[in-house]
Amino acid sequence: MNPSVSKPLEIHDLTVAYQRKPVLYGVDLEVSEGTLTGIIGPNGAGKSTLIKTIMGMVPSNGGWVKIFGKTAQKSYARVGYVPQRESVDWDFPVSVLDVVLMGRYGHVGWLKRVGKKDRIIAGECLEKVNMLPFADRQIGKLSGGQQQRVFLARALAQESDLYLMDEPLAGVDAVTEKAIIELLRELKNQGKTLLVVHHDLSTAKAYFDQLILLNMRLIASGEVEKTFTRDLLQKTYGGRLTIFTEVADQSAGVREYEKETESS
Amino acid sequence: MNGTIHFKKSMRRNIQIKRIGMAWVILSLFTFPLHGEQISAPSDSLLERGYRFLTLSDESVRMVLLGTILMGLSCGIMGSLIVTRRLSLFGDTLSHAVLPGVAVGFLWSHSKDSWAILAGATLAGFLGVALISLLKKTSRIRQDSALGLVLSGFYALGICMLTRIQKMEFGNQSGIDKYLFGQVVGLSSTDLWTMAFSFLLILALSIFLYKEMLVAGFDPEYARSIGLPVDFLQYLLWLILAFAVITSLQIVGVVLVSALLVIPAATATLITDRMRPILIWSGLLGCMAAATGAFVSFLGSQLPTGPIIVLVSASFFLSVLFFHPRNGLLFKWFSSHNRNHRIALENTLKAVYQELESIDFQQDSISVGQLAKRRRASMPQAHREVSALVEKQHATLHADQSDSSASPKPVLISLTPKGWGTACRIVRNHRLWELYLTNEARYAPDHVHDDAEKIEHVLGEETVRRIERILSNPRKDPHGKLIPSQRDIDRGFIS
């Protein structure tokens, strides 16, 4: 099958549970090529879980995910993932350049070393996020916004077709936020597909052209004009789905995992 | 003589108690013989022994040196992989957890054949690691408690088994107790082969899987996202760590293995913050400590090899901690001392300037009394500050000629051109910064003094130029005082 024909991301009836407590219920989703999509929803809505399940890091309890028409395992090379900043040990002895070079590892393959070409690409990616002067700095000696930009440079170095980003705008200053959004738009214009978990409702409408409203199940997805409506947002954020959460708690039997899902 | 031996025994016992009290109770029940072994018979003279070691004429010396060097390299490299992952305690736990496996391997083969023991120990080590992750997954127990549990439990079991073995007929001369405290004498060629084998594994791991280990250590989630088998890599790391630990056990013993893993790696992280140099430094430091330790213990009598190696390693750590040219404590202390000294000097100069300014620069000198008043310091304190100025050639002293009635005549301070320049620069920095804060950062004029007191000492010439440009070369500060210009500094006088 020609990969350009099949959608970058198709999700059918995806259900995920942590410790038997459901986090996502029967999510159906299709994302078209060359779109910049924001995933919004309250804390504990399963935004990060959705992304991690797509990447195959969290096992699903039902349904399937297809990336460019294939299973996720076969599409790693075409997917770039930007994890949350907290998932990383910032004291680890790596330099900024080392981190960006990690974006090339998927291209280099096992047992081989990164080559000169990879170094050039990594340098260019750092340049794009204005972090080239910091290439030799230990990664922990940067500010939060700078670290996020390095993560983005690593994603750029991956040269993927589909990007999944977990809150790339969390904890960055306004200038960095603008720069990151501009970069995402540029990627979109190059025909890349971007899925971005976003926490700030006030900017969601301005930043994305597609939205996914999520609260344990898919509330809505599609064009911003059609999805960023009072009605749907009310459904997503307000008027908690009380029966939903109650049943979820019962089926888990215990409430102590609530923290775990809330943080994700 | 007896007394010193007794003293040593109790010393070692103390360490044991600190490390792991539970196991000690069991240990003391069986009254295990405590002895760290040394390499040589103490009959020859120091010089002779040194000669024998350095010429490597002795077969046993060659084996010991090779063994310790392999061990130092292996543990050094392996240690840097686990220390940077914050898994130092895992090494310790693993070294204790392999003990029952050592016993089983020995019971199975009825000899201290290294391969059987290696297999048994590896299995036991893996069992321990698996138990830790099982505890973490299925219970509320946190990782540190799980580590403690497995460490002490396995260790206690291991000691029970080894003690039983010692009481058996075939176990009598087995030397199996060397796994507890280490013994370098009985190193066989099989031992050396297993050490070489594990060293090659470690080398291969750190060369061929360097980038995989790097990304899995830094950002495991991302590593998974590019299709790396992170869990497999983790288990590979455990396996090879187990090899490193087990092959080192017989030289330094269960308790001290973790020191070989942690100390060289910790030392390396003081020297650099990049992975590759850490690996290399750690390997080298481990190797150097091992060789030096072997040498020292060979020279001296009554010196056990394993603990000496650890002590040498620790002394390397301390030397780097204090004497490293960039990150050493001594250097840091020295530079902070220097900075404080400079700041004190500059504050004195500033006071002299302000005092001169208060009399509209009608005279070119002030008295020590005036300075003391301005600095709110006692006279002796002011005198000390003045002599510091004179010593650095920022000022000269002379007797007051005008006031002939007073005796002794008060001492006057005049600034040298160098002192004048520095004083002008500090005052300029202070007033420029105040102006910058009020004009650009919209501070209230009465909020800026304290900040300027600190910034004036760190403002570089380049920053000063930029501020001057931004404020378009101002003449007066927010309080209406003149800001000394470059012209004033050159002229040596303010006008």
Side-chain angles (χ1 to χ4, degrees):
Chain A
M1 205 205 296
N2 186 348
S4 67
V5 173
S6 52
K7 297 241 172 192
L9 182 65
E10 287 173 87
I11 297 175
H12 179 75
D13 193 21
L14 189 72
T15 300
V16 182
Y18 272 138
Q19 316 273 4
R20 289 190 301 154
K21 175 174 171 172
V23 188
L24 287 176
Y25 274 112
V27 173
D28 291 314
L29 204 61
E30 270 188 21
V31 177
S32 328
E33 194 159 348
T35 52
L36 176 55
T37 308
I39 304 178
I40 57 174
N43 282 341
K47 302 185 296 279
S48 297
T49 307
L50 178 65
I51 285 206
K52 284 184 184 162
T53 318
I54 296 170
M55 292 307 301
M57 290 170 199
V58 172
S60 65
N61 299 47
W64 49 258
V65 175
K66 275 190 182 163
I67 299 174
F68 294 110
K70 293 179 192 163
T71 60
Q73 274 74 21
K74 285 186 183 162
S75 312
Y76 279 138
R78 299 187 66 182
V79 185
Y81 171 60
V82 179
Q84 277 183 10
R85 217 148 45 80
E86 294 86 67
S87 70
V88 172
D89 176 8
W90 293 106
D91 289 335
F92 203 79
V94 286
S95 69
V96 168
L97 187 64
D98 288 335
V99 174
V100 180
L101 278 172
M102 286 174 188
R104 302 300 302 164
Y105 285 5
H107 298 262
V108 176
W110 281 80
L111 306 181
K112 288 191 210 129
R113 297 177 62 164
V114 287
K116 203 173 173 186
K117 192 185 132 221
D118 300 307
R119 280 175 195 284
I120 293 170
I121 293 173
E124 287 168 359
C125 295
L126 270 177
E127 178 83 76
K128 268 186 203 156
V129 298
N130 281 329
M131 287 297 290
L132 197 57
F134 298 89
D136 275 332
R137 199 74 77 82
Q138 198 267 331
I139 188 77
K141 291 180 183 147
L142 301 178
S143 73
Q146 289 173 325
Q147 289 170 345
Q148 199 66 62
R149 278 192 271 166
V150 174
F151 263 28
L152 222 67
R154 179 175 70 180
L156 291 180
Q158 282 185 276
E159 297 181 332
S160 310
D161 299 315
L162 169 66
Y163 283 107
L164 305 175
M165 306 188 173
D166 206 343
E167 302 224 14
L169 300 176
V172 306
D173 56 283
V175 179
T176 306
E177 183 161 325
K178 216 171 230 170
I180 290 178
I181 283 296
E182 240 153 65
L183 204 68
L184 298 187
R185 290 223 175 98
E186 197 188 313
L187 285 172
K188 188 199 96 176
N189 292 337
Q190 289 168 15
K192 317 263 184 191
T193 311
L194 299 106
L195 218 61
V196 179
V197 173
H198 193 56
H199 62 289
D200 186 6
L201 259 187
S202 63
T203 50
K205 195 173 176 185
Y207 286 169
F208 304 104
D209 41 45
Q210 305 266 330
L211 280 184
I212 293 172
L213 304 188
L214 200 70
N215 192 351
M216 296 181 76
R217 62 190 182 99
L218 186 71
I219 309 289
S221 73
E223 302 275 323
V224 171
E225 289 78 29
K226 288 172 191 156
T227 46
F228 200 82
T229 61
R230 206 191 140 78
D231 213 30
L232 287 172
L233 289 175
Q234 179 73 26
K235 241 178 163 179
T236 313
Y237 284 87
R240 298 267 303 176
L241 299 158
T242 38
I243 299 178
F244 238 60
T245 31
E246 265 172 35
V247 173
D249 283 342
Q250 276 166 14
S251 72
V254 273
R255 282 167 172 271
E256 65 193 32
Y257 297 109
E258 223 160 58
K259 253 193 189 160
E260 216 173 309
T261 48
E262 251 162 40
S263 68
S264 64
Chain B
M1 192 67 200
N2 242 334
T4 60
I5 289 170
H6 183 74
F7 173 67
K8 275 188 178 175
K9 277 188 186 178
S10 63
M11 276 261 291
R12 241 172 249 125
R13 275 185 193 149
N14 267 335
I15 295 162
Q16 286 295 320
I17 289 164
K18 269 184 200 154
R19 287 206 68 88
I20 172 164
M22 254 281 284
W24 172 247
V25 175
I26 298 159
L27 193 67
S28 57
L29 277 180
F30 294 98
T31 56
F32 218 83
L34 281 162
H35 48 204
E37 292 288 333
Q38 54 174 120
I39 311 171
S40 70
S43 54
D44 339 346
S45 77
L46 199 69
L47 216 63
E48 256 177 273
R49 283 203 299 269
Y51 181 75
R52 258 177 65 203
F53 189 94
L54 292 175
T55 53
L56 299 176
S57 56
D58 217 319
E59 171 79 22
S60 68
V61 170
R62 280 203 297 271
M63 303 246 314
V64 163
L65 194 63
L66 191 61
T68 48
I69 284 177
L70 280 174
M71 174 189 74
L73 278 169
S74 302
C75 289
I77 297 172
M78 214 56 223
S80 57
L81 284 177
I82 64 163
V83 164
T84 53
R85 281 155 202 255
R86 308 182 183 216
L87 294 173
S88 308
L89 274 178
F90 255 95
D92 204 15
T93 306
L94 202 62
S95 71
H96 287 76
V98 297
L99 210 53
V102 170
V104 170
F106 181 80
L107 280 175
W108 187 56
S109 64
H110 276 214
S111 77
K112 57 175 217 65
D113 165 20
S114 291
W115 297 104
I117 288 180
L118 187 68
T122 309
L123 269 176
F126 255 82
L127 206 65
V129 171
L131 208 61
I132 291 168
S133 36
L134 201 71
L135 275 174
K136 239 173 65 182
K137 262 189 198 147
T138 57
S139 71
R140 312 161 149 271
I141 307 269
R142 287 178 196 279
Q143 173 146 313
D144 55 336
S145 316
L147 283 169
L149 265 166
V150 170
L151 183 149
S152 47
F154 275 58
Y155 186 49
L157 181 67
I159 288 175
C160 286
M161 292 171 82
L162 290 186
T163 313
R164 290 293 301 161
I165 289 172
Q166 281 230 316
K167 302 243 161 90
M168 292 176 193
E169 61 227 71
F170 62 83
N172 262 346
Q173 267 108 42
S174 64
I176 192 80
D177 57 306
K178 75 182 180 183
Y179 286 97
L180 278 185
F181 302 107
Q183 179 189 56
V184 86
V185 195
L187 222 52
S188 70
S189 58
T190 331
D191 292 332
L192 283 182
W193 277 115
T194 51
M195 296 181 93
F197 167 72
S198 94
F199 171 64
L200 285 178
L201 268 182
I202 290 165
L203 213 58
L205 176 83
S206 51
I207 291 174
F208 294 117
L209 290 181
Y210 173 78
K211 69 181 199 309
E212 284 79 7
M213 282 293 173
L214 191 73
V215 66
F218 171 63
D219 192 349
E221 283 197 0
Y222 172 78
R224 274 198 193 98
S225 84
I226 57 171
L228 283 183
V230 174
D231 295 325
F232 168 77
L233 287 174
Q234 185 76 60
Y235 278 107
L236 191 69
L237 189 71
W238 291 144
L239 181 72
I240 297 179
L241 176 64
F243 284 161
V245 163
I246 295 158
T247 51
S248 313
L249 274 189
Q250 42 193 329
I251 296 183
V252 295
V254 165
V255 178
L256 289 181
V257 168
S258 67
L260 293 183
L261 289 168
V262 174
I263 299 176
T267 316
T269 54
L270 287 183
I271 299 174
T272 164
D273 55 9
R274 286 310 123 73
M275 195 65 208
R276 216 184 292 270
I278 286 181
L279 281 169
I280 294 167
W281 269 112
S282 183
L284 281 179
L285 283 165
C287 168
M288 268 159 27
T292 316
F295 181 59
V296 171
S297 95
F298 189 81
L299 282 188
S301 53
Q302 308 287 340
L303 291 177
T305 313
I308 290 290
I309 290 175
V310 173
L311 283 178
V312 171
S313 201
S315 69
F316 285 173
F317 174 80
L318 286 178
S319 328
V320 171
L321 183 68
F322 284 105
F323 304 117
H324 188 272
R326 246 191 354 269
N327 310 330
L329 290 182
L330 217 64
F331 175 78
K332 278 184 189 158
W333 176 81
F334 194 68
S335 62
S336 103
H337 175 82
N338 267 354
R339 195 181 53 238
N340 292 344
H341 203 73
R342 179 173 61 84
I343 287 176
L345 209 71
E346 289 175 352
N347 282 338
T348 318
L349 282 170
K350 190 174 65 178
V352 175
Y353 180 96
Q354 286 164 340
E355 208 48 42
L356 287 171
E357 190 182 41
S358 69
I359 48 169
D360 286 333
F361 302 101
Q362 295 303 314
Q363 294 165 13
D364 61 357
S365 53
I366 62 163
S367 71
V368 179
Q370 280 173 296
L371 179 71
K373 211 171 145 198
R374 169 73 63 175
R375 295 277 291 142
R376 294 201 191 101
S378 63
M379 277 307 275
Q381 174 68 27
H383 270 289
R384 267 200 299 280
E385 287 183 358
V386 168
S387 27
L389 281 190
V390 173
E391 193 188 317
K392 294 272 178 198
Q393 295 171 340
H394 281 309
T396 50
L397 294 180
H398 47 88
D400 190 353
Q401 302 302 338
S402 59
D403 192 1
S404 50
S405 60
S407 137
K409 287 174 179 164
V411 182
L412 289 183
I413 313 153
S414 298
L415 292 180
T416 62
K418 184 182 166 195
W420 169 254
T422 311
C424 283
R425 261 177 231 114
I426 288 300
V427 173
R428 176 200 62 191
N429 288 359
H430 183 101
R431 294 178 180 172
L432 259 186
W433 187 249
E434 286 189 339
L435 195 65
Y436 179 72
L437 285 183
T438 49
N439 285 15
E440 297 296 313
R442 302 273 161 227
Y443 275 51
D446 58 340
H447 281 46
V448 292
H449 177 77
D450 290 342
D451 193 47
E453 279 289 296
K454 287 180 210 115
I455 298 297
E456 64 189 15
H457 301 290
V458 293
L459 226 49
E461 281 301 303
E462 209 177 302
T463 323
V464 168
R465 289 291 98 75
R466 274 173 54 204
I467 295 176
E468 280 178 344
R469 233 173 295 134
I470 290 170
L471 302 172
S472 44
N473 296 315
R475 287 296 287 154
K476 285 184 176 172
D477 78 352
H479 312 290
K481 289 195 173 140
L482 276 178
I483 299 173
S485 66
Q486 188 61 43
R487 232 157 37 122
D488 299 324
I489 296 172
D490 295 339
R491 202 184 325 183
F493 214 83
I494 211 148
S495 56

